[in-house]
Amino acid sequence: MTEAWRPDDEDEQRRGAGGPVKVRVPAKVNLHLGVGPLRGDGYHELNTVYHAISIYDELTARRGDTLILTMEGEGTGELALDDSNLVIRAAHALAGYAGVLPHARLHLRKQIPLAGGLAGGSADAAAALVACDALWGTGLSREQLADIAADLGSDVPFLIYGGTALGTGRGEAVSPVLARPTSWHWVVAIADVGLSTPAAYRELDRLRDAGTAGEPLGSTDGLLAALRQRDPRVLAAALGNDLQDAALTMRPSLAATLKAGEAAGAFAGIVSGSGPTCVFLATDEADARRIAAELEAAEVCREAWVAHGPVAGARVV
Ligand code: C5P
């Protein structure tokens, strides 16, 4: 992992006690998303490789007499500001765990699209845990924060760590992938309208019951071996997502987006998580910019952004 968490980051966060504290948190893509059977608890068993990319939300925490959240940016008009909001739930969860009052004034600046398959909501929960931990001086370890994170959502623990990591269980059990530093360049095609994650999993179950889903991807071994080779062509060939067929059935226009990226010269394109965002692997930043411009010109997405990964998880900046 190139920009993984190091123990001295913790000290840096403790120095934030008193506030205001600003935390930056990345989006994630899944380089491999292997979806196993539906479990009794309503989740699917996953074998995934998470990868944090340089599209960020920013959360600022200040001292206050109560807990309040304000927001600006990408899609925030659609988000509830009450106790159902993952940021508020994260602050309450940390306060309960640490035995402190959940008092803070939180302001979220969103860039990560809502319901995009980039874990935007989970990222904000991870940012809230890291920001409130610094504001309240509760001084929890990354592992403790990741434990609290697991109850908030399957992707939240990964966004505490960032980098590139294996996810198992329902995705909440995270272990870093140790690889020599390599930066990968991505084009991220943002759709006009989001897709619901539970609906994408339900659609995959339906396709599997009907016998029309593709073969499950299974183990992450091939992807991990490809990562070690540090060659974008090799990594491109190993990318895979069991939820892609479901996302394509729900949003058939994504087929044209994927095709346009590959026609523009990307090594490969896949749906990110439960979609509808599509990500494409490029040779370098200039290549990524060129592909992004072609995707926008082809009008197969709302916007196409350039990003690199891996990057660190939720951090005080
Ligand atoms: O964990 P999180 O709240 O982000 O999950 C949202 C929804 O996605 C779940 O309620 C479930 O429908 C689906 N999901 C799943 N299996 C997983 C993770 C999520 O079915 N491993």
Side-chain angles (χ1 to χ4, degrees):
M1 223 155 52
T2 45
E3 292 179 54
W5 173 76
R6 301 180 313 278
D8 54 349
D9 284 349
E10 213 174 17
D11 295 329
E12 222 168 83
Q13 290 180 20
R14 290 209 181 95
R15 282 199 293 277
V21 177
K22 191 187 279 186
V23 168
R24 199 168 79 151
V25 66
K28 66 89 190 149
V29 298
N30 301 80
L31 304 181
H32 172 112
L33 180 51
V35 181
L38 179 62
R39 312 191 313 197
D41 62 2
Y43 288 90
H44 294 75
E45 198 63 23
L46 298 188
N47 253 317
T48 190
V49 177
Y50 291 114
H51 183 69
I53 59 168
S54 60
I55 295 173
Y56 299 100
D57 282 355
E58 207 174 80
L59 184 82
T60 305
R62 293 185 173 81
R63 293 214 166 269
D65 303 326
T66 174
L67 180 61
I68 52 165
L69 171 64
T70 51
M71 294 193 269
E72 64 179 301
E74 179 78 32
T76 47
E78 299 162 46
L79 274 177
L81 287 168
D82 58 15
D83 288 1
S84 67
N85 188 292
L86 266 179
V87 170
I88 300 284
R89 286 179 48 207
H92 278 295
L94 173 64
Y97 181 96
V100 299
L101 287 171
H103 290 174
R105 289 183 292 136
L106 304 175
H107 183 72
L108 180 62
R109 287 178 63 153
K110 280 203 70 62
Q111 189 191 5
I112 308 172
L114 295 182
L118 296 169
S122 302
D124 301 337
L129 291 176
V130 171
C132 291
D133 179 56
L135 184 76
W136 298 335
T138 39
L140 301 191
S141 66
R142 288 273 148 188
E143 288 70 20
Q144 286 171 306
L145 293 176
D147 276 351
I148 304 170
D151 289 336
L152 297 166
S154 309
D155 297 333
V156 186
F158 169 67
L159 291 153
I160 296 281
Y161 293 106
T164 303
L166 264 179
T168 53
R170 61 182 168 84
E172 89 290 3
V174 175
S175 52
V177 170
L178 299 172
R180 281 182 297 167
T182 307
S183 207
W184 304 100
H185 297 274
W186 301 96
V187 181
V188 183
I190 308 294
D192 280 315
V193 182
L195 275 180
S196 147
T197 300
Y201 276 102
R202 277 197 305 273
E203 180 61 16
L204 175 61
D205 291 338
R206 192 189 66 78
L207 294 173
R208 284 181 171 171
D209 288 345
T212 52
E215 273 299 299
L217 286 174
S219 149
T220 53
D221 291 353
L223 191 280
L224 296 178
L227 271 176
R228 284 192 291 272
Q229 293 195 45
R230 309 170 84 198
D231 177 344
R233 269 175 223 279
V234 175
L235 181 60
L239 298 172
N241 178 2
D242 279 340
L243 280 179
Q244 181 156 314
D245 287 345
L248 283 166
T249 313
M250 294 165 73
R251 186 69 57 77
S253 62
L254 293 180
T257 312
L258 291 172
K259 217 168 140 193
E262 286 168 28
F267 290 126
I270 51 165
V271 170
S272 175
S274 53
T277 306
C278 294
V279 293
F280 301 89
L281 191 54
T283 316
D284 52 29
E285 193 181 332
D287 187 40
R289 288 198 185 285
R290 189 188 52 72
I291 294 166
E294 284 198 33
L295 284 174
E296 287 190 350
E299 297 184 358
V300 290
C301 54
R302 189 190 84 199
E303 279 172 42
W305 299 344
V306 163
H308 64 271
V311 297
R315 294 292 176 276
V316 175
V317 290

